[in-house]
Amino acid sequence: MSDFSRLSLNSATTKKWSLAEAVEGCVRAGIPSIGPWRDIVAEAGLDKSARLIREAGLRVSSLCRGGFLTAADPAGQAAALADNRAAILEAVALGTTELFLVVGGLAPGERDVVAARQRVADRLEDLVPFAVEHGVRLVLEPLHPMYSADRALISTLKQALDLAAPYDARAVGVAVDTFHAWWDPELKAQIERAGRENRIASYQVCDFNLPIAADALLSRGMMGDGVIDFATIGGWVRDAGYTGDIEVEIFNQEIWDADGDSTLATMKARYAELVLPYA
């Protein structure tokens, strides 16, 4: 019998489900952990969300997401800091220590990538003390380069680790997401570095489907449906010492339109076949 004790459902995978439905689905499927997105937490209400998850006996592997730190104007910067501080408090209420940050892309009309990346570093410096005070780790997630302009100017694990370097590993960590990282020629070395620095805060899995969807956000696939070598990447993450939850996070319209329980059944089967043997 396969061991699903580290498997976590990221709520993006079952986008049609409310938080209550996702929690109930995890319980039915025997999935012990959930990584909710803030939108469905807000829909349910923070206190109710925490209670639903707690009473179901689930762990919260992470909270998605904070970030979007690249605003160039003072008002935008203040709003970003306020939103991220709110996200930190939400993570505390939900019982997770891991808050994902998608750092943001270029400001409207901007072309200065260097300046925008510096603003990410500046806002991170602003946020770290508040996160540390509340026992939450800020998890930098590098995104595939095709999302650089609008979502994340941090595209590689090396960039994320360099950005995290000034801070204690308990304050700022990194995520290894197979969809975003599989192509990186330095991935093995940077996962090894992340392990040495104790910065791997999350391992997320899904596949990279071809052809790219018209909406590039929806090109994620179920493990085994695309081009990613989960055995190799999973082995690198394992050898780097990561023993935490493994989240399945998929943005895919066909999967969203499918029956949620069927999605979880397929997710468990693919996890057992393609991910667990190397985790």
Side-chain angles (χ1 to χ4, degrees):
M1 181 177 292
S2 296
D3 178 5
F4 296 105
S5 61
R6 296 175 62 195
L7 179 59
S8 179
L9 170 69
N10 184 286
S11 70
T13 303
T14 51
K15 189 175 178 64
K16 288 194 303 184
W17 274 354
S18 67
L19 180 64
E21 289 170 327
V23 166
E24 291 162 4
C26 284
V27 172
R28 286 193 300 272
I31 295 171
S33 185
I34 189 167
W37 275 63
R38 293 175 68 200
D39 57 348
I40 66 168
V41 170
E43 288 170 5
L46 181 58
D47 292 342
K48 181 180 179 182
S49 296
R51 185 172 67 254
L52 282 170
I53 295 168
R54 182 177 63 251
E55 291 179 353
L58 301 181
R59 296 188 306 275
V60 180
S61 51
S62 71
L63 178 63
C64 288
R65 59 174 164 60
F68 286 84
L69 304 173
T70 55
D73 61 295
Q77 293 169 7
L81 289 173
D83 182 64
N84 279 276
R85 289 177 180 130
I88 289 165
L89 296 178
E90 291 164 21
V92 173
L94 292 169
T96 183
T97 59
E98 314 300 338
L99 173 65
F100 270 72
L101 299 187
V102 174
V103 299
L106 295 168
E110 183 178 30
R111 289 178 172 77
D112 191 339
V113 176
V114 174
R117 288 191 178 124
Q118 182 58 50
R119 293 196 298 274
V120 173
D122 293 342
R123 299 294 80 74
L124 191 63
E125 185 177 4
D126 293 334
L127 283 172
V128 165
F130 189 82
V132 170
E133 178 185 349
H134 291 89
V136 172
R137 176 161 50 177
L138 304 176
V139 182
L140 299 173
E141 182 179 20
L143 267 57
H144 190 281
M146 65 182 166
Y147 303 121
S148 294
D150 61 346
R151 294 190 177 273
L153 286 163
I154 304 303
S155 303
T156 67
L157 194 55
K158 181 182 186 302
Q159 287 177 300
L161 287 166
D162 289 348
L163 192 58
Y167 308 104
D168 189 283
R170 292 168 294 183
V172 184
V174 298
V176 178
D177 181 319
T178 56
F179 177 85
H180 293 305
W182 69 273
W183 60 275
D184 185 353
E186 295 188 1
L187 186 58
K188 180 176 187 289
Q190 295 305 319
I191 289 174
E192 290 171 347
R193 173 188 170 189
R196 289 193 303 271
E197 296 178 6
N198 295 313
R199 290 197 189 272
I200 302 178
S202 181
Y203 180 39
Q204 289 187 328
V205 295
C206 73
D207 221 324
F208 190 101
N209 285 4
L210 292 174
I212 299 293
D215 181 349
L217 277 177
L218 305 185
S219 291
R220 291 171 174 254
M222 190 66 71
M223 296 82 72
D225 287 352
V227 302
I228 292 178
D229 179 357
F230 293 97
T232 297
I233 297 175
W236 292 341
V237 173
R238 176 200 62 215
D239 293 346
Y242 181 72
T243 58
D245 286 331
I246 300 173
E247 285 190 16
V248 177
E249 183 188 49
I250 303 174
F251 294 76
N252 181 296
Q253 192 63 54
E254 290 185 8
I255 289 174
W256 289 346
D257 291 339
D259 172 73
D261 288 309
S262 296
T263 295
L264 296 195
T266 302
M267 185 177 101
K268 287 181 65 180
R270 300 290 182 87
Y271 174 85
E273 176 189 359
L274 299 171
V275 179
L276 180 61
Y278 314 99

